[in-house]
Every structure is written in C-alpha cells, then in structure tokens.
Coordinates of all heavy atoms in Angstrom, one line a residue:
M1307 N 8.1 -73.1 -122.4 CA 9.5 -72.5 -122.1 C 9.4 -71.0 -122.1 O 9.0 -70.4 -122.9 CB 10.5 -72.9 -123.2 CG 11.5 -73.9 -122.9 SD 11.9 -74.5 -121.2 CE 12.0 -76.2 -121.5
D1308 N 9.8 -70.4 -120.9 CA 9.9 -69.1 -120.8 C 11.3 -68.5 -121.3 O 12.3 -68.8 -120.8 CB 9.8 -68.6 -119.3 CG 9.5 -67.2 -119.1 OD1 9.8 -66.4 -120.0 OD2 9.1 -66.8 -118.0
S1309 N 11.3 -67.7 -122.4 CA 12.4 -67.2 -123.0 C 13.1 -66.2 -122.2 O 14.3 -65.8 -122.4 CB 12.2 -66.6 -124.4 OG 11.1 -65.6 -124.3
S1310 N 12.4 -65.6 -121.1 CA 13.1 -64.7 -120.3 C 14.0 -65.3 -119.3 O 14.9 -64.6 -118.7 CB 12.0 -63.8 -119.5 OG 11.4 -64.7 -118.5
L1311 N 14.0 -66.6 -119.2 CA 14.8 -67.3 -118.3 C 16.1 -67.8 -119.2 O 15.9 -68.6 -120.1 CB 14.3 -68.7 -117.8 CG 13.2 -68.4 -116.7 CD1 12.6 -69.8 -116.3 CD2 13.7 -67.7 -115.5
P1312 N 17.3 -67.2 -118.9 CA 18.4 -67.6 -119.7 C 18.8 -69.1 -119.7 O 19.3 -69.7 -120.7 CB 19.6 -66.7 -119.1 CG 19.1 -66.4 -117.7 CD 17.7 -66.4 -117.7
N1313 N 18.6 -69.7 -118.7 CA 18.9 -71.1 -118.5 C 17.7 -71.9 -117.7 O 17.7 -71.7 -116.5 CB 20.2 -71.3 -117.8 CG 20.6 -72.9 -117.7 OD1 19.9 -73.7 -118.0 ND2 21.8 -73.0 -117.2
S1314 N 16.9 -72.6 -118.4 CA 15.8 -73.2 -117.7 C 16.3 -74.4 -116.9 O 15.4 -74.8 -116.0 CB 14.9 -73.9 -118.9 OG 15.5 -74.7 -119.7
N1315 N 17.5 -74.8 -116.9 CA 17.9 -75.8 -116.0 C 18.6 -75.3 -114.8 O 19.4 -75.9 -114.2 CB 18.8 -76.8 -116.8 CG 18.0 -77.6 -117.8 OD1 16.8 -78.0 -117.6 ND2 18.6 -77.8 -118.9
F1316 N 18.5 -74.0 -114.6 CA 19.1 -73.3 -113.5 C 18.9 -74.1 -112.2 O 17.7 -74.2 -111.9 CB 18.6 -71.9 -113.5 CG 19.6 -71.1 -112.5 CD1 20.8 -70.8 -112.9 CD2 19.1 -70.5 -111.3 CE1 21.6 -70.0 -112.1 CE2 19.8 -69.7 -110.5 CZ 21.1 -69.5 -110.9
P1317 N 19.9 -74.5 -111.6 CA 19.7 -75.5 -110.5 C 18.9 -75.0 -109.4 O 18.3 -75.9 -108.6 CB 21.1 -75.9 -110.0 CG 22.0 -74.7 -110.6 CD 21.4 -74.3 -111.7
T1318 N 18.8 -73.8 -109.0 CA 18.0 -73.4 -107.8 C 16.5 -73.3 -108.1 O 15.7 -73.2 -107.2 CB 18.5 -72.0 -107.4 OG1 18.3 -71.0 -108.3 CG2 19.9 -72.1 -106.9
I1319 N 16.1 -73.3 -109.4 CA 14.8 -73.3 -109.7 C 14.2 -74.8 -109.7 O 14.5 -75.7 -110.4 CB 14.4 -72.8 -111.1 CG1 14.9 -71.3 -111.1 CG2 13.0 -72.9 -111.5 CD1 14.7 -70.6 -112.4
R1320 N 13.4 -75.1 -108.7 CA 12.8 -76.4 -108.5 C 11.3 -76.2 -108.6 O 10.7 -75.5 -108.1 CB 13.2 -77.0 -107.2 CG 14.7 -77.1 -107.3 CD 15.3 -77.7 -106.1 NE 14.4 -78.4 -105.3 CZ 14.8 -79.5 -104.3 NH1 16.0 -79.7 -104.2 NH2 13.9 -80.1 -103.7
T1321 N 10.8 -77.3 -109.2 CA 9.2 -77.4 -109.2 C 8.7 -78.6 -108.5 O 9.5 -79.6 -108.3 CB 8.7 -77.4 -110.7 OG1 9.3 -78.4 -111.4 CG2 9.0 -76.0 -111.3
C1322 N 7.6 -78.5 -108.0 CA 6.9 -79.6 -107.3 C 6.8 -80.7 -108.2 O 6.2 -80.6 -109.3 CB 5.6 -79.2 -106.6 SG 4.8 -80.5 -105.9
Q1323 N 7.1 -81.9 -107.7 CA 7.0 -83.1 -108.6 C 5.5 -83.5 -108.9 O 5.3 -84.2 -109.9 CB 7.7 -84.3 -107.8 CG 9.2 -84.5 -108.0 CD 9.6 -85.7 -107.4 OE1 9.0 -86.6 -106.8 NE2 10.9 -85.9 -107.5
R1324 N 4.7 -83.0 -108.1 CA 3.2 -83.3 -108.4 C 2.5 -82.3 -109.0 O 1.8 -82.6 -110.0 CB 2.6 -83.6 -107.0 CG 2.8 -85.0 -106.5 CD 1.7 -85.3 -105.7 NE 2.1 -86.5 -104.8 CZ 1.0 -87.0 -104.0 NH1 -0.2 -86.5 -104.0 NH2 1.3 -88.1 -103.4
C1325 N 2.5 -81.1 -108.6 CA 1.7 -80.0 -109.1 C 2.4 -79.0 -110.0 O 1.9 -78.2 -110.5 CB 0.9 -79.3 -107.9 SG 1.9 -78.3 -106.9
H1326 N 3.8 -79.2 -110.0 CA 4.6 -78.4 -110.8 C 4.6 -77.0 -110.5 O 5.1 -76.0 -111.2 CB 4.3 -78.7 -112.4 CG 4.3 -80.1 -112.7 ND1 5.6 -80.9 -112.7 CD2 3.5 -81.0 -113.0 CE1 5.4 -82.1 -113.0 NE2 4.0 -82.2 -113.2
K1327 N 4.4 -76.7 -109.2 CA 4.3 -75.4 -108.7 C 5.8 -75.0 -108.5 O 6.5 -75.9 -108.0 CB 3.6 -75.3 -107.5 CG 3.2 -73.9 -107.0 CD 1.9 -73.9 -106.0 CE 2.4 -74.5 -104.6 NZ 1.2 -74.5 -103.7
L1328 N 6.2 -73.9 -108.8 CA 7.6 -73.4 -108.4 C 7.8 -73.5 -106.8 O 7.0 -73.1 -106.1 CB 7.8 -72.1 -108.9 CG 9.2 -71.6 -109.2 CD1 9.7 -72.5 -110.4 CD2 9.2 -70.2 -109.7
L1329 N 8.9 -74.1 -106.4 CA 9.2 -74.2 -105.1 C 10.2 -73.0 -104.7 O 11.2 -72.8 -105.3 CB 9.9 -75.5 -104.7 CG 9.3 -76.9 -105.0 CD1 10.0 -78.0 -104.6 CD2 7.9 -76.8 -104.2
N1330 N 9.8 -72.2 -103.7 CA 10.7 -71.0 -103.3 C 11.8 -71.5 -102.4 O 12.7 -71.0 -102.4 CB 9.6 -70.2 -102.5 CG 8.6 -69.6 -103.3 OD1 8.9 -69.1 -104.5 ND2 7.5 -69.4 -102.8
N1331 N 11.5 -72.7 -101.6 CA 12.5 -73.0 -100.8 C 13.0 -74.5 -101.0 O 12.2 -75.3 -101.6 CB 12.0 -73.0 -99.3 CG 11.8 -71.5 -98.9 OD1 12.5 -70.7 -98.9 ND2 10.6 -71.3 -98.5
D1332 N 13.9 -74.9 -100.5 CA 14.4 -76.2 -100.6 C 13.9 -77.0 -99.4 O 14.4 -76.7 -98.3 CB 16.0 -76.3 -100.5 CG 16.4 -77.7 -100.9 OD1 15.7 -78.8 -100.8 OD2 17.5 -77.8 -101.6
Y1333 N 12.9 -77.8 -99.6 CA 12.2 -78.5 -98.3 C 13.0 -79.8 -98.0 O 12.4 -80.8 -98.3 CB 10.8 -78.7 -98.6 CG 9.9 -77.5 -98.8 CD1 9.6 -77.1 -100.2 CD2 9.6 -76.7 -97.8 CE1 8.9 -75.9 -100.4 CE2 9.0 -75.4 -98.1 CZ 8.6 -74.9 -99.4 OH 7.9 -74.0 -99.6
G1334 N 14.1 -79.6 -97.6 CA 14.9 -80.7 -97.0 C 15.1 -81.8 -98.2 O 15.1 -83.0 -97.9
G1335 N 15.3 -81.3 -99.4 CA 15.7 -82.4 -100.5 C 14.4 -83.1 -101.1 O 14.6 -83.8 -102.0
V1336 N 13.2 -82.7 -100.5 CA 12.0 -83.3 -101.0 C 11.5 -82.3 -102.1 O 11.3 -81.2 -101.9 CB 10.9 -83.5 -99.9 CG1 9.7 -84.1 -100.6 CG2 11.5 -84.3 -98.9
S1337 N 11.2 -82.8 -103.3 CA 10.8 -82.0 -104.5 C 9.2 -81.8 -104.5 O 8.8 -82.2 -105.4 CB 11.4 -82.6 -105.8 OG 12.7 -82.7 -105.7
L1338 N 8.7 -81.6 -103.3 CA 7.3 -81.4 -103.3 C 7.0 -80.1 -102.6 O 7.7 -79.7 -101.6 CB 6.7 -82.5 -102.4 CG 6.7 -84.0 -103.1 CD1 6.3 -85.1 -102.1 CD2 5.9 -84.0 -104.4
C1339 N 6.0 -79.5 -102.9 CA 5.4 -78.2 -102.2 C 4.8 -78.7 -100.9 O 4.4 -79.8 -100.7 CB 4.6 -77.4 -103.1 SG 3.1 -78.2 -103.4
P1340 N 4.7 -77.8 -99.9 CA 4.1 -78.2 -98.6 C 2.7 -78.8 -98.9 O 2.4 -79.7 -98.0 CB 4.0 -76.9 -97.8 CG 5.1 -76.1 -98.5 CD 5.2 -76.4 -99.8
D1341 N 1.9 -78.2 -99.7 CA 0.5 -78.9 -99.9 C 0.6 -80.4 -100.3 O -0.1 -81.3 -99.8 CB -0.2 -78.2 -101.0 CG -0.5 -76.8 -100.5 OD1 -0.4 -76.4 -99.4 OD2 -1.0 -75.9 -101.4
C1342 N 1.6 -80.6 -101.2 CA 1.6 -82.0 -101.9 C 2.4 -82.9 -100.7 O 2.2 -84.0 -100.9 CB 2.4 -81.9 -103.2 SG 1.4 -81.2 -104.5
I1343 N 3.2 -82.4 -99.9 CA 3.8 -83.1 -98.9 C 2.6 -83.6 -98.0 O 2.7 -85.0 -97.8 CB 4.8 -82.4 -98.1 CG1 6.1 -82.2 -99.0 CG2 5.3 -83.2 -96.8 CD1 7.2 -81.3 -98.3
D1344 N 1.8 -82.9 -97.7 CA 0.6 -83.3 -96.8 C -0.2 -84.3 -97.6 O -0.6 -85.3 -97.0 CB -0.3 -82.1 -96.5 CG 0.3 -81.2 -95.4 OD1 1.4 -81.7 -94.8 OD2 -0.2 -80.1 -95.1
K1345 N -0.4 -84.1 -98.8 CA -1.3 -85.0 -99.6 C -0.6 -86.3 -99.8 O -1.2 -87.4 -99.7 CB -1.5 -84.3 -101.0 CG -2.4 -84.9 -101.9 CD -3.7 -84.1 -102.3 CE -4.8 -84.8 -103.0 NZ -4.6 -86.3 -103.3
D1346 N 0.7 -86.2 -99.9 CA 1.6 -87.4 -100.2 C 1.6 -88.3 -99.0 O 1.4 -89.5 -99.1 CB 3.0 -86.9 -100.5 CG 3.9 -88.1 -100.6 OD1 4.0 -88.6 -101.8 OD2 4.6 -88.4 -99.7
K1347 N 1.6 -87.7 -97.7 CA 1.5 -88.5 -96.6 C 0.1 -89.1 -96.3 O 0.1 -90.3 -95.9 CB 1.7 -87.6 -95.4 CG 3.2 -87.3 -95.1 CD 3.3 -86.5 -93.8 CE 4.7 -85.7 -93.6 NZ 4.6 -84.5 -92.8
E1348 N -0.8 -88.4 -96.7 CA -2.3 -89.0 -96.6 C -2.4 -90.1 -97.6 O -3.0 -91.1 -97.3 CB -3.2 -87.7 -96.9 CG -4.7 -88.1 -96.9 CD -5.2 -88.7 -95.5 OE1 -4.5 -88.4 -94.5 OE2 -6.2 -89.3 -95.5
D1349 N -1.9 -90.0 -98.9 CA -2.1 -91.0 -99.8 C -1.3 -92.2 -99.4 O -1.7 -93.3 -99.6 CB -1.6 -90.4 -101.2 CG -2.5 -89.5 -101.9 OD1 -3.6 -89.4 -101.5 OD2 -2.0 -88.8 -102.8
Y1350 N -0.1 -92.0 -98.9 CA 0.8 -93.0 -98.6 C 0.1 -93.9 -97.4 O 0.2 -95.2 -97.3 CB 2.2 -92.7 -98.1 CG 3.0 -93.8 -97.8 CD1 3.4 -94.8 -98.7 CD2 3.6 -94.0 -96.4 CE1 4.2 -95.9 -98.5 CE2 4.3 -95.1 -96.2 CZ 4.6 -96.0 -97.1 OH 5.4 -97.1 -96.8
R1351 N -0.6 -93.0 -96.4 CA -1.2 -93.8 -95.4 C -2.4 -94.7 -95.8 O -2.5 -95.8 -95.4 CB -1.7 -92.6 -94.4 CG -2.3 -93.2 -93.0 CD -2.9 -92.1 -92.2 NE -4.0 -91.5 -92.9 CZ -5.2 -92.0 -93.1 NH1 -5.6 -93.2 -92.6 NH2 -6.2 -91.4 -93.8
K1352 N -3.1 -94.1 -96.7 CA -4.3 -94.9 -97.3 C -3.7 -96.2 -98.0 O -4.3 -97.3 -97.8 CB -4.9 -94.0 -98.4 CG -5.9 -93.0 -97.7 CD -6.8 -92.5 -98.8 CE -6.5 -91.0 -99.1 NZ -7.3 -90.4 -100.1
V1353 N -2.7 -96.0 -98.9 CA -2.0 -97.1 -99.6 C -1.6 -98.2 -98.6 O -1.9 -99.4 -98.7 CB -1.0 -96.6 -100.6 CG1 -0.2 -97.7 -101.1 CG2 -1.5 -95.8 -101.7
K1354 N -0.9 -97.7 -97.6 CA -0.2 -98.5 -96.6 C -1.3 -99.4 -95.8 O -1.1 -100.6 -95.7 CB 0.6 -97.8 -95.7 CG 1.5 -98.5 -94.6 CD 2.3 -97.5 -93.9 CE 2.2 -97.8 -92.4 NZ 3.0 -96.9 -91.6
E1355 N -2.4 -98.6 -95.5 CA -3.4 -99.4 -94.6 C -4.2 -100.3 -95.5 O -4.4 -101.5 -95.1 CB -4.4 -98.3 -94.1 CG -4.0 -97.7 -92.8 CD -4.8 -96.6 -92.4 OE1 -5.9 -96.4 -93.0 OE2 -4.4 -95.9 -91.4
Y1356 N -4.3 -100.0 -96.7 CA -5.0 -101.0 -97.7 C -4.1 -102.2 -97.9 O -4.7 -103.3 -97.8 CB -5.3 -100.3 -98.9 CG -6.2 -101.3 -99.8 CD1 -7.6 -101.3 -99.6 CD2 -5.7 -102.0 -100.8 CE1 -8.5 -102.1 -100.3 CE2 -6.5 -102.9 -101.4 CZ -7.9 -103.0 -101.3 OH -8.8 -103.8 -101.9
I1357 N -2.9 -102.1 -98.2 CA -1.9 -103.2 -98.4 C -1.9 -104.0 -97.1 O -1.9 -105.2 -97.2 CB -0.6 -102.6 -98.8 CG1 -0.6 -101.9 -100.1 CG2 0.4 -103.8 -98.9 CD1 0.7 -101.2 -100.6
Q1358 N -1.8 -103.5 -95.9 CA -1.7 -104.1 -94.7 C -2.9 -105.0 -94.4 O -2.8 -106.1 -93.9 CB -1.6 -103.1 -93.4 CG -0.1 -102.7 -93.3 CD 0.1 -101.6 -92.4 OE1 -0.9 -100.9 -92.0 NE2 1.2 -101.4 -91.8
S1359 N -4.1 -104.6 -94.8 CA -5.3 -105.4 -94.6 C -5.7 -106.3 -95.8 O -6.6 -107.0 -95.7 CB -6.4 -104.5 -94.2 OG -6.6 -103.3 -95.0
H1360 N -5.0 -106.1 -96.9 CA -5.3 -106.9 -98.0 C -4.0 -107.5 -98.6 O -3.4 -106.9 -99.5 CB -5.9 -106.0 -99.2 CG -7.3 -105.5 -98.7 ND1 -7.4 -104.4 -98.0 CD2 -8.6 -105.9 -99.0 CE1 -8.7 -104.0 -97.8 NE2 -9.4 -104.9 -98.3
V1361 N -3.7 -108.6 -98.2 CA -2.6 -109.4 -98.6 C -2.7 -109.8 -100.1 O -4.0 -110.2 -100.4 CB -2.3 -110.7 -97.7 CG1 -0.9 -111.3 -98.1 CG2 -2.2 -110.3 -96.3
N1362 N -1.7 -109.8 -100.8 CA -1.8 -110.3 -102.2 C -2.7 -109.3 -103.0 O -3.3 -109.7 -104.1 CB -2.4 -111.7 -102.4 CG -1.3 -112.8 -102.1 OD1 -0.1 -112.3 -102.3 ND2 -1.7 -113.9 -101.7
T1363 N -2.8 -108.1 -102.7 CA -3.4 -107.1 -103.6 C -2.5 -106.7 -104.7 O -1.4 -106.9 -104.7 CB -4.0 -105.8 -102.7 OG1 -4.8 -105.2 -103.4 CG2 -2.7 -105.1 -102.1
S1364 N -3.2 -106.0 -105.8 CA -2.4 -105.7 -106.9 C -2.4 -104.1 -106.9 O -3.2 -103.4 -106.1 CB -3.0 -106.0 -108.2 OG -4.2 -105.4 -108.5
V1365 N -1.5 -103.5 -107.6 CA -1.4 -102.1 -107.7 C -2.7 -101.5 -108.1 O -3.1 -100.4 -107.6 CB -0.3 -101.6 -108.8 CG1 -0.2 -100.3 -109.1 CG2 1.1 -102.2 -108.3
F1366 N -3.4 -102.1 -109.1 CA -4.6 -101.7 -109.6 C -5.6 -101.5 -108.6 O -6.4 -100.7 -108.5 CB -5.0 -102.5 -110.9 CG -4.0 -102.4 -112.0 CD1 -3.2 -103.7 -112.1 CD2 -3.6 -101.3 -112.7 CE1 -2.1 -103.6 -113.1 CE2 -2.7 -101.4 -113.6 CZ -1.9 -102.6 -113.8
E1367 N -5.8 -102.7 -107.8 CA -6.8 -102.7 -106.8 C -6.5 -101.6 -105.7 O -7.5 -101.1 -105.3 CB -6.7 -104.2 -106.1 CG -7.9 -104.5 -105.4 CD -7.8 -105.9 -104.7 OE1 -7.2 -106.8 -105.3 OE2 -8.1 -105.9 -103.5
V1368 N -5.3 -101.6 -105.4 CA -5.0 -100.5 -104.4 C -5.4 -99.1 -104.8 O -6.1 -98.4 -104.1 CB -3.5 -100.5 -104.0 CG1 -3.1 -99.4 -103.1 CG2 -3.0 -101.8 -103.3
S1369 N -5.0 -98.8 -106.1 CA -5.4 -97.6 -106.6 C -6.9 -97.4 -106.7 O -7.4 -96.2 -106.4 CB -4.8 -97.5 -108.1 OG -5.3 -96.3 -108.7
Q1370 N -7.7 -98.4 -107.1 CA -9.1 -98.2 -107.2 C -9.8 -98.1 -105.9 O -10.7 -97.2 -105.7 CB -9.7 -99.5 -107.8 CG -10.1 -99.2 -109.4 CD -10.7 -100.5 -110.0 OE1 -10.7 -101.6 -109.3 NE2 -10.8 -100.3 -111.3
A1371 N -9.2 -98.8 -104.8 CA -9.9 -98.8 -103.5 C -9.6 -97.6 -102.8 O -10.4 -97.2 -101.9 CB -9.5 -100.1 -102.7
T1372 N -8.4 -97.0 -103.0 CA -8.0 -95.9 -102.2 C -8.2 -94.5 -102.9 O -8.2 -93.5 -102.2 CB -6.5 -96.0 -101.8 OG1 -5.7 -96.0 -102.9 CG2 -6.1 -97.2 -100.9
G1373 N -8.4 -94.7 -104.2 CA -8.5 -93.4 -104.9 C -7.3 -92.7 -105.1 O -7.2 -91.6 -105.7
V1374 N -6.1 -93.3 -104.8 CA -4.7 -92.8 -105.1 C -4.4 -93.2 -106.4 O -4.6 -94.4 -106.8 CB -3.8 -93.3 -104.0 CG1 -2.3 -92.7 -104.4 CG2 -4.3 -92.9 -102.5
G1375 N -3.9 -92.3 -107.3 CA -3.7 -92.5 -108.7 C -2.5 -93.5 -108.9 O -1.6 -93.6 -108.0
L1376 N -2.5 -94.3 -110.0 CA -1.4 -95.3 -110.3 C -0.2 -94.5 -110.4 O 0.9 -95.1 -109.9 CB -1.8 -95.8 -111.6 CG -2.6 -97.2 -111.6 CD1 -2.7 -97.6 -113.0 CD2 -2.0 -98.2 -110.8
K1377 N -0.1 -93.4 -110.9 CA 1.1 -92.6 -111.0 C 1.8 -92.3 -109.6 O 3.0 -92.4 -109.4 CB 0.9 -91.2 -111.6 CG 1.3 -91.2 -113.1 CD 0.8 -89.9 -113.9 CE 2.0 -88.9 -113.8 NZ 1.5 -87.6 -114.4
I1378 N 1.0 -92.0 -108.6 CA 1.4 -91.7 -107.4 C 1.9 -92.9 -106.7 O 3.0 -93.1 -106.1 CB 0.3 -91.1 -106.5 CG1 0.1 -89.6 -107.1 CG2 0.6 -91.0 -105.0 CD1 -1.2 -89.0 -106.7
I1379 N 1.1 -94.1 -106.9 CA 1.6 -95.4 -106.3 C 3.0 -95.8 -106.9 O 3.9 -96.2 -106.2 CB 0.6 -96.5 -106.5 CG1 -0.7 -96.1 -105.7 CG2 1.0 -97.9 -106.1 CD1 -1.9 -97.0 -106.0
M1380 N 3.2 -95.6 -108.3 CA 4.4 -95.9 -108.9 C 5.5 -95.0 -108.4 O 6.7 -95.4 -108.4 CB 4.2 -95.7 -110.4 CG 3.3 -96.8 -111.1 SD 3.5 -98.5 -110.4 CE 4.9 -99.0 -111.3
Q1381 N 5.2 -93.8 -108.0 CA 6.1 -93.0 -107.3 C 6.6 -93.5 -106.0 O 7.8 -93.6 -105.7 CB 5.6 -91.5 -107.1 CG 6.5 -90.4 -106.6 CD 7.6 -90.1 -107.6 OE1 7.4 -90.2 -108.8 NE2 8.8 -89.9 -107.0
F1382 N 5.6 -94.0 -105.3 CA 6.0 -94.7 -104.0 C 7.0 -95.7 -104.2 O 7.8 -96.2 -103.4 CB 4.8 -95.2 -103.2 CG 3.8 -94.2 -102.7 CD1 2.5 -94.4 -102.5 CD2 4.3 -92.9 -102.4 CE1 1.7 -93.4 -102.0 CE2 3.5 -91.8 -101.9 CZ 2.1 -92.1 -101.8
V1383 N 6.7 -96.7 -105.4 CA 7.6 -97.8 -105.7 C 9.0 -97.2 -106.0 O 10.0 -97.8 -105.6 CB 7.0 -98.4 -106.9 CG1 8.0 -99.5 -107.5 CG2 5.6 -99.1 -106.7
R1384 N 9.0 -96.2 -106.8 CA 10.4 -95.6 -107.2 C 11.1 -95.2 -105.8 O 12.3 -95.2 -105.8 CB 10.2 -94.4 -108.1 CG 10.2 -94.8 -109.7 CD 10.5 -93.7 -110.5 NE 9.2 -92.8 -110.4 CZ 8.3 -92.8 -111.1 NH1 8.1 -93.9 -112.0 NH2 7.2 -91.9 -111.1
E1385 N 10.3 -94.6 -104.9 CA 10.9 -94.2 -103.7 C 11.2 -95.3 -102.6 O 11.5 -95.0 -101.5 CB 10.0 -93.1 -103.1 CG 10.0 -91.8 -103.8 CD 8.9 -90.9 -103.4 OE1 8.0 -91.2 -102.6 OE2 8.7 -89.7 -103.9
D1386 N 10.9 -96.5 -103.0 CA 11.1 -97.7 -102.2 C 10.2 -97.7 -101.0 O 10.6 -98.1 -100.0 CB 12.6 -97.8 -101.7 CG 13.5 -98.3 -102.9 OD1 13.0 -99.0 -103.8 OD2 14.7 -98.1 -102.9
R1387 N 9.0 -97.0 -101.1 CA 8.3 -97.2 -100.0 C 7.3 -98.3 -100.1 O 6.8 -98.8 -99.0 CB 7.4 -95.9 -99.9 CG 8.3 -94.7 -99.6 CD 7.8 -93.4 -100.1 NE 6.9 -92.7 -99.1 CZ 6.2 -91.6 -99.3 NH1 6.3 -91.0 -100.5 NH2 5.5 -91.1 -98.5
V1388 N 7.0 -98.7 -101.3 CA 6.3 -99.9 -101.5 C 6.9 -100.7 -102.6 O 7.8 -100.2 -103.2 CB 4.8 -99.8 -101.9 CG1 4.0 -99.1 -100.8 CG2 4.6 -99.0 -103.2
Q1389 N 6.6 -102.0 -102.7 CA 7.4 -102.9 -103.7 C 6.4 -103.7 -104.5 O 5.4 -104.0 -103.9 CB 8.2 -104.0 -102.8 CG 9.6 -103.9 -102.9 CD 10.3 -105.1 -102.3 OE1 9.6 -105.9 -101.7 NE2 11.6 -105.1 -102.4
I1390 N 6.8 -103.7 -105.8 CA 6.0 -104.5 -106.7 C 6.6 -105.9 -106.6 O 7.8 -106.0 -106.8 CB 6.0 -104.0 -108.3 CG1 5.5 -102.6 -108.3 CG2 5.3 -105.0 -109.1 CD1 4.1 -102.3 -108.4
I1391 N 5.8 -106.9 -106.3 CA 6.5 -108.3 -106.1 C 6.7 -109.0 -107.3 O 7.8 -109.5 -107.6 CB 5.5 -109.1 -105.2 CG1 5.3 -108.3 -103.8 CG2 6.2 -110.4 -104.8 CD1 4.2 -109.0 -103.0
D1392 N 5.7 -109.0 -108.2 CA 5.9 -109.9 -109.4 C 5.2 -109.3 -110.6 O 4.8 -108.1 -110.6 CB 5.4 -111.4 -109.1 CG 3.9 -111.4 -108.9 OD1 3.3 -110.4 -109.3 OD2 3.5 -112.3 -108.1
T1393 N 5.2 -110.0 -111.6 CA 4.8 -109.4 -113.0 C 3.2 -109.2 -113.0 O 2.7 -108.6 -113.9 CB 5.1 -110.4 -114.1 OG1 4.6 -111.8 -113.8 CG2 6.6 -110.4 -114.4
K1394 N 2.6 -109.7 -111.9 CA 1.1 -109.5 -111.9 C 0.9 -108.3 -111.1 O -0.3 -108.0 -110.7 CB 0.4 -110.8 -111.2 CG 0.3 -112.1 -112.0 CD -0.4 -113.0 -111.4 CE -0.3 -114.4 -112.1 NZ 0.9 -115.1 -111.9
N1395 N 1.9 -107.5 -110.8 CA 1.7 -106.2 -110.3 C 1.2 -106.3 -108.8 O 0.5 -105.4 -108.2 CB 0.7 -105.2 -111.0 CG 1.4 -104.9 -112.3 OD1 2.5 -104.4 -112.2 ND2 0.6 -105.0 -113.3
K1396 N 1.5 -107.5 -108.1 CA 1.2 -107.7 -106.7 C 2.1 -106.5 -106.0 O 3.2 -106.3 -106.4 CB 1.5 -108.9 -106.1 CG 0.7 -110.1 -106.7 CD -0.5 -110.4 -105.9 CE -1.4 -111.3 -106.5 NZ -0.8 -112.7 -106.9
I1397 N 1.5 -106.1 -104.8 CA 2.2 -104.9 -104.2 C 2.4 -105.3 -102.8 O 1.5 -106.0 -102.2 CB 1.5 -103.6 -104.4 CG1 2.2 -102.4 -104.1 CG2 0.0 -103.6 -103.9 CD1 1.6 -101.1 -104.6
K1398 N 3.5 -104.8 -102.1 CA 3.6 -105.1 -100.7 C 4.4 -103.9 -100.2 O 5.1 -103.1 -100.9 CB 4.3 -106.3 -100.3 CG 5.8 -106.3 -100.7 CD 6.3 -107.6 -100.0 CE 7.9 -107.6 -100.1 NZ 8.6 -108.0 -99.0
L1399 N 4.3 -103.7 -98.8 CA 5.1 -102.6 -98.2 C 6.7 -103.0 -98.1 O 7.0 -104.2 -97.9 CB 4.6 -102.3 -96.8 CG 3.2 -101.8 -96.6 CD1 2.8 -101.8 -95.2 CD2 3.1 -100.5 -97.2
E1400 N 7.3 -102.1 -98.3 CA 8.8 -102.4 -98.3 C 9.2 -102.6 -96.8 O 8.8 -102.0 -95.9 CB 9.6 -101.0 -98.7 CG 11.0 -101.1 -98.7 CD 11.5 -102.1 -99.8 OE1 11.0 -102.0 -100.9 OE2 12.2 -103.0 -99.3
D1401 N 10.0 -103.8 -96.5 CA 10.3 -104.1 -95.3 C 11.7 -103.3 -95.0 O 12.6 -103.4 -95.7 CB 10.6 -105.7 -95.1 CG 9.6 -106.4 -95.7 OD1 8.5 -106.2 -95.2 OD2 9.8 -107.3 -96.5
K1402 N 11.6 -102.5 -93.8 CA 12.7 -101.7 -93.5 C 13.1 -102.0 -92.1 O 12.3 -102.2 -91.3 CB 12.5 -100.2 -93.9 CG 12.6 -100.1 -95.4 CD 13.0 -98.6 -95.6 CE 13.3 -98.5 -97.2 NZ 12.9 -97.1 -97.6
Ligands
ZN761 ZN1 2.8 -79.4 -105.2

C-alpha cells in the first residue's frame, strides 16, 4: 500500500488484471494493458484451436498442451469465452 495515495480505491486508478501494471487509459472497459491484450488474444486463440481439435478435453490438458496457465483459462471461463462442462473439468467453447 502506498501511503501517499489518500484513497487506494480511487476509481480512475486501474491496474492490468494480468501484470498489475498501472493503466493510464481506459481501454474500452477492458482491464488489461495493451501488451496483455495481445497476449490474451494469442492465448485464447491457442486454447480455442486446441479445444476445437480435441473434443472432450479437460482444462488441465488444454493448459498443458497449450502452455496457457490454468489461471488464464479460468479467466476465459469467467468471461464466458469457454465453458466448463462437468465436474471432470471438461471444457468446451461457449456457443454464441
Ligand atoms: Zn498487463
């Protein structure tokens, strides 16, 4: 905590969800810095391609095969970009 900041929850101070770098601008409501937005797109592309070619794959398998961290995949789940199907952590692409 930086004590020079009177209010650490000041709404205009936003940090990147991934690297926690301070964001200078509001990038269209996305809480990621430009570097991480590119990385995010790349990671999602890898995850998506893997899921498309491997039906009934699991979150763990996708993470291992693509090198995309579990935390990042779980973030895609929270963003409704992919879906966890059942308790065995099967994963599929969100139908939109
Ligand atoms: Zn970032």
Side-chain angles (χ1 to χ4, degrees):
M1307 254 343 137
D1308 187 346
S1309 57
S1310 69
L1311 293 172
N1313 181 355
S1314 59
N1315 294 320
F1316 194 66
T1318 60
I1319 295 176
R1320 295 176 29 152
T1321 53
C1322 174
Q1323 277 182 1
R1324 278 212 196 182
C1325 67
H1326 305 292
K1327 196 159 78 183
L1328 207 61
L1329 298 179
N1330 297 318
N1331 297 301
D1332 194 331
Y1333 300 104
V1336 182
S1337 306
L1338 292 175
C1339 69
D1341 290 348
C1342 291
I1343 288 174
D1344 286 350
K1345 186 123 193 358
D1346 180 83
K1347 277 188 198 149
E1348 179 63 17
D1349 285 349
Y1350 183 64
R1351 189 187 58 76
K1352 282 192 249 175
V1353 167
K1354 192 172 126 183
E1355 279 174 7
Y1356 190 82
I1357 297 172
Q1358 277 170 343
S1359 48
H1360 298 78
V1361 187
N1362 283 335
T1363 189
S1364 73
V1365 177
F1366 305 108
E1367 196 184 314
V1368 172
S1369 176
Q1370 256 177 5
T1372 59
V1374 178
L1376 272 181
K1377 258 174 87 174
I1378 292 165
I1379 297 176
M1380 294 318 283
Q1381 185 65 38
F1382 292 155
V1383 173
R1384 273 195 294 274
E1385 290 166 354
D1386 286 332
R1387 291 156 91 182
V1388 294
Q1389 247 187 356
I1390 303 277
I1391 303 167
D1392 59 28
T1393 51
K1394 290 190 185 76
N1395 291 309
K1396 295 265 172 65
I1397 192 166
K1398 71 166 190 142
L1399 293 171
E1400 184 63 50
D1401 309 309
K1402 281 206 174 144

